[in-house]
């Protein structure tokens, strides 16, 4: 089949015209040291506020929201869901059904309370996920193709009912009846990965690379079942009863009856009776019916609070499998791809039409059309309906489950680019299965949106054993470097007081809510996240490399370290898709987005498959002055304009890359150039571009990462040490003429760097990191480019002056000691799990260590510190000395300054230490419920072991001495 070549520009124009206009981001707010130390609430974290099985009360709602405000949250996402009972846990009582009058009253109470407290709310528009519900009829459900076939031999008059294709829920609708001559059975390999190529299924849960779907095994002459122009459409010859009347020509013929029926997709992890089918995501009429029934009433009932307090709407990640049809799909396909698809429908059954290459191209066009409809008819309609109330979107619309979509295209309708990342757990133990924020950050950058959000610290597996500094901080920092700037805790479960302690919990997620033992001491970590977000939510990102991730479907960008543009470690990159590629322009030889964000080079994917529309845009950019890096495209994966389009693509490729093939090379074309056989990093360095940031550690295999932002005349870098041990690094940044400052997000302290040098267009600073440490390096105040740091190093060594030995008095909470005396004397610092009394061994909660000590003979000069040594299991403590509250320590080194507070004699020290719920739960394991101190639906696993807990020390008084090279 030949598609008129003149259709291709029209399709490209249509594609660009369909891009949703992007509102401007809020005007930047100049940041200051004062606001960094005590950032505004608007910079605060948020949470997945889990209404588990609908089992919430007004009292619990108010308690949660007041606690959020007290801890500095900026808001929450109200998310009704089930899942309490998964992974062998117990169910919790069933509360009001999502959307019922009783549920709506709870919801209205929550919105009113959030308004009273000045918190921003988001709302998930169903219970659970995979949008749907109990009232989704088979006609409204997600659909896929189904077919039956018969073989007849002509010449003859055929008049009989065609077999009804397999269907689900007694719902089936016809699409077409096709016939083609049956060839003698050819022994040929099947179309590879057909179920995935035809989008009968999704492709995995961890942002898989799906480019393999663009290729197939080599074709052989004569293996095709039919040429497209020989496929006969017999639809008009079949009546409503399915009886076909046809004069069969001579020979054997295959007759195929195609229709559609609901998929098996069901709503997942929902509360109570909110079960049912997933709605058709390719059909705006069905979305609108769902909205009118379930969402519109929720927005109307809160009046002006819709758009003011309730500011965002949410749906969760796509985990609904595949789908490939809806009413009117053939017409939508022709409108977008420019040709009639019906003759190619037999390809989805494994037939080869025209030839193997053409069949594979058709399947790519099928997937691309499905993706277009998911974006426009589902998320686009969602955005348009929400916009009537001044409400934005924050759906997890872009994976990591590889559904039938282009992740970046879906993000084009969002206001908060929502992704997810996981803390370490057996379910997702490796980085590529835990970290997914880079795509969301790229979307925010290319669509000019402020917020990059993430469902944060998700786990499946162990409960109540998280260590803040090593599990959560390290994970958040990893994703801050990828572009994260708005943490949504996963998960903050609303648990009525009747559910006891630790209370009801979801089967997954790091439990982070007022029922965890360490909630009162969570402030330090929350302030840390807020300080990071305060800076990272401002300014414009800086990346040198723009990677085009191709036009295939499914398409999901992976974690930052995947580095498809080969920019790392010294340069950063963003990812762009086909839609936004079309709006790029060249300004001063830089590849520039309409809102001004620009890049030095554009990198093409290495699989050599590019749509003609994409290659034409690349040619325009190169001729205008762009540097484009990548191999010479060999083919497109589309029947649009084919085969004429293949000639056009070849001619463009020859014009840009030259005729023939070579492993490496460079060509000047117009004002720009094309380079292949080199990485972006190699090209930038060869061009004399200084590394944006470079880190030289002192030990092998140390890992450091960064995020660079600029606001006005200020550049600032978030730098993370992804090393469990303390580390020193020599960090170089691509600018001079401004004083480097070190802004510590743990403490809020800011100070000018004193150990730095400026040379060759770079400022080099020596940084010392604590375990999993981090810092903002800020450049804002002008200095001469010749000025050098005056100190050798801005750090000190710590020398032990004295160790606090001897007994400690430890006060436990008598409600949780199971009869053991609440006041205990520890002759030495040991884990509570080593204590002979069962009530202490299995204790969970707070204990206060008290000790009186003398400090006579201490050095007369130099700063003094109290170092707590090791703290288990959560790793958090509050320190008081001589009646002075010295604050919360939650990350190594567990150390506080005590200069001017220490006395020669009679120092009174209090250290409040908290462990998690784990040990008390282990102690309650196997006991009848009436003998347990704890109450929860989470099953206490037999493999759970006691976790070392308490102040383990050694507790020391240290003095700091300047440290030279």
């Amino acid at each position: 089949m030949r598609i008129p070549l003149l259709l291709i520009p029209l399709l490209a124009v249509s594609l660009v015209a369909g891009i949703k206009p992007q509102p401007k981001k809020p005007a930047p707010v100049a940041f200051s040291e004062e606001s960094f130390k005590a950032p505004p609430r608007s910079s605060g974290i948020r949470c997945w506020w889990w209404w588990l099985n609908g089992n919430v009360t007004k009292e619990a709602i108010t308690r949660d929201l007041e606690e959020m405000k007290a801890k500095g949250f900026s808001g929450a996402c109200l998310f009704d869901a089930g899942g309490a009972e998964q992974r062998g846990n117990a169910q919790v009582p069933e509360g009001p059904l999502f959307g019922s009058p009783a549920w709506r009253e709870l919801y209205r109470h929550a919105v009113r309370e959030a308004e009273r407290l000045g918190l921003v709310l988001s709302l998930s528009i169903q219970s659970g996920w995979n949008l749907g519900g109990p009232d989704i009829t088979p006609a409204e459900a997600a659909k896929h193709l189904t077919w039956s076939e018969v073989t007849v031999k002509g010449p003859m008059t055929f008049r009989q009912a065609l077999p009804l294709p397999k269907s689900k829920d007694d719902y089936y609708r016809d699409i077409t009846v096709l016939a083609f001559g049956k060839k003698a059975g050819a022994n040929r390999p099947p179309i590879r990965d057909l179920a995935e190529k035809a989008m009968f299924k999704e492709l995995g849960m961890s942002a898989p690379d799906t480019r393999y779907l663009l290729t197939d095994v080599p074709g052989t002459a004569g293996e095709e079942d039919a040429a497209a122009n020989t496929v006969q459409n017999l639809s008009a010859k079949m009546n409503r009863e399915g009886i076909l009347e046809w004069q069969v020509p001579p020979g054997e013929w295959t007759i195929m009856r195609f229709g559609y029926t609901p998929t098996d997709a069901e709503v997942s992890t929902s509360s109570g009776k909110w079960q049912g089918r997933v709605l058709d995501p390719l059909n705006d009429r069905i979305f609108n019916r769902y909205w009118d029934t379930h969402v519109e009433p929720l927005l109307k009932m809160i009046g002006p609070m819709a758009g003011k307090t309730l500011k965002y709407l949410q749906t969760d990640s796509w985990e609904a499998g595949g789908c490939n049809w809806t009413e009117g799909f053939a017409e939508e396909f022709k409108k977008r791809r420019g040709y009639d698809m019906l003759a190619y429908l037999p390809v989805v059954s494994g037939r080869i039409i025209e030839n193997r290459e053409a069949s594979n191209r058709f399947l790519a066009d099928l997937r691309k059309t499905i993706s277009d409809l998911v974006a426009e008819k589902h998320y686009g309609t969602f955005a348009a309906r929400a916009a009537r109330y001044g409400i934005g979107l924050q759906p997890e619309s872009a994976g990591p489950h590889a559904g039938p979509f282009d992740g970046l295209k879906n993000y084009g309708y969002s206001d908060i680019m929502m992704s997810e990342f996981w803390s370490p757990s057996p379910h997702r133990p490796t980085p590529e299965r835990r970290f997914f924020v880079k795509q969301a950050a790229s979307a925010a950058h290319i669509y000019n949106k402020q917020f990059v959000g993430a469902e944060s610290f998700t786990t499946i597996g162990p409960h109540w054993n998280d260590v803040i500094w090593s599990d959560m901080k390290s994970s958040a920092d990893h994703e801050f470097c990828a572009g994260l700037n708005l943490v949504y805790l996963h998960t903050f479960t609303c648990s009525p007081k009747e559910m006891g302690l630790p209370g009801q919990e979801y089967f997954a997620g790091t439990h982070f809510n007022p029922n965890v033992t360490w909630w009162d001491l969570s402030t330090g970590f929350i302030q840390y996240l807020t300080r990071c977000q305060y800076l990272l939510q401002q300014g414009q990102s800086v990346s040198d490399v723009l990677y085009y991730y191709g036009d295939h479907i499914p398409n999901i960008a992976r974690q930052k370290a995947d580095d498809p543009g080969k920019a790392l470690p010294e340069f950063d990159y963003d990812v762009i898709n086909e839609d936004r590629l079309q709006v790029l322009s060249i300004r001063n030889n830089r590849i520039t987005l309409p809102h001004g964000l620009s890049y030095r080079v554009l990198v093409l994917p290495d699989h050599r498959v590019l749509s003609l529309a994409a290659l034409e845009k690349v040619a325009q950019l190169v001729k205008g002055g762009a540097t484009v890096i990548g191999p010479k495209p060999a083919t497109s994966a589309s029947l649009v304009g084919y085969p004429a389009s293949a000639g056009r693509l070849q001619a463009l490729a020859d014009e840009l890359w030259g005729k023939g093939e070579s492993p490496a090379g460079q060509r000047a074309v117009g004002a720009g150039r094309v380079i292949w056989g080199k990485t972006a990093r190699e090209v930038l360095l060869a061009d004399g571009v200084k590394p944006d940031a470079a880190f030289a550690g002192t030990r092998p295999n140390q890992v450091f990462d960064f995020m660079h932002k600029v606001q006005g005349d200020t550049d600032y870098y978030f730098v993370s040490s992804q090393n469990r041990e303390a580390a020193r690094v020599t960090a170089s940044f691509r600018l001079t003429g401004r004083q480097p400052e070190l802004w510590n997000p743990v403490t809020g302290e800011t100070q000018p760097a004193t150990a730095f040098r400026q040379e060759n267009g770079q400022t080099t600073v020596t940084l010392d990191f604590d375990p999993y440490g981090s810092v903002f390096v800020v450049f804002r105040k002008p200095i001469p480019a010749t000025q050098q740091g005056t100190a050798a190093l801005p750090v000190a060594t710590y020398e032990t002056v004295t160790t606090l030995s001897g007994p400690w008095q430890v006060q436990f909470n008598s409600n949780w000691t199971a009869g053991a005396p609440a006041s205990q004397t520890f002759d030495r610092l040991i884990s509570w799990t080593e204590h002979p009394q069962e009530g202490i061994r299995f204790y969970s909660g707070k204990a206060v260590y008290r000790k009186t000590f003398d400090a006579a003979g201490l050095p007369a000069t130099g700063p003094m510190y109290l170092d707590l040594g090791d703290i288990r299991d959560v790793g958090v403590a509050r320190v008081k000395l001589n009646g002075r509250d010295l604050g919360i320590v939650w990350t190594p080194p567990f150390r506080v300054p005590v200069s001017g507070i220490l006395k020669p004699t009679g120092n009174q020290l209090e250290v409040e230490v908290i462990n998690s719920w784990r040990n008390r739960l282990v102690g309650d394991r196997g006991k009848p419920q009436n003998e347990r101190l704890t109450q929860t639906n989470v099953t206490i696993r037999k493999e759970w072991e006691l976790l070392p807990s308490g102040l383990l020390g050694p507790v020391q008084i240290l003095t700091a001495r300047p440290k030279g090279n």
Side-chain angles (χ1 to χ4, degrees), residues 898-953:
V898 292
S899 297
I901 304 172
L902 278 173
K903 302 185 298 183
T905 60
N907 290 285
Q908 301 291 325
L909 175 62
E910 288 188 9
V911 182
E912 179 182 317
V913 177
I914 296 181
N915 71 340
S916 68
W917 281 115
R918 174 60 69 85
N919 290 351
R920 185 62 260 167
L921 290 164
V922 171
D924 284 352
R925 184 172 54 200
K927 292 183 178 181
Q929 187 60 54
N930 62 353
E931 295 181 15
R932 297 183 179 187
L933 299 184
T934 55
Q935 181 179 336
T936 181
N937 63 293
V938 175
T939 298
I940 306 171
R941 311 289 174 177
K942 64 181 180 180
E943 65 270 19
W944 288 5
E945 298 179 350
L946 293 177
L947 301 175
S949 297
L951 176 61
L952 305 185

Side-chain angles (χ1 to χ4, degrees), residues 52-102:
L52 192 60
N53 209 25
N55 184 38
V56 300
T57 63
K58 288 185 177 180
E59 180 185 23
I61 288 168
T62 296
R63 189 277 304 256
D64 282 358
L65 291 172
E66 289 180 344
E67 289 285 350
M68 290 179 204
K69 179 174 183 179
K71 288 292 184 288
F73 284 49
S74 63
C77 179
L78 195 168
F79 202 143
D80 188 286
E85 78 289 356
Q86 293 188 33
R87 301 290 176 115
N89 298 309
Q91 185 56 280
V92 301
E94 183 178 340
L97 180 67
F98 175 85
S100 67

Side-chain angles (χ1 to χ4, degrees), residues 354-428:
E354 201 68 35
N355 53 54
R356 189 175 290 265
E357 180 183 0
S359 296
N360 209 52
R361 286 171 177 261
F362 163 72
L363 290 170
D365 286 341
L366 175 70
R367 296 193 301 278
K368 199 164 187 176
T369 304
I370 295 168
S371 170
D372 288 348
L373 296 184
V374 168
E376 298 165 23
K377 302 294 186 179
H378 188 74
Y379 292 110
T381 305
F382 190 4
R385 294 301 300 265
R388 296 180 189 177
Y389 286 89
I391 292 175
L393 297 192
Q394 59 172 64
E396 290 187 1
S397 59
H401 289 253
F405 51 71
D406 176 324
L408 289 173
K409 185 180 180 76
N410 286 354
Y411 272 140
Y413 296 97
S414 291
D415 296 274
I416 297 177
M417 305 305 187
M418 185 63 66
S419 184
E420 63 184 72
F421 71 89
W422 294 57
S423 286
S425 77
H427 182 68
R428 290 182 180 268

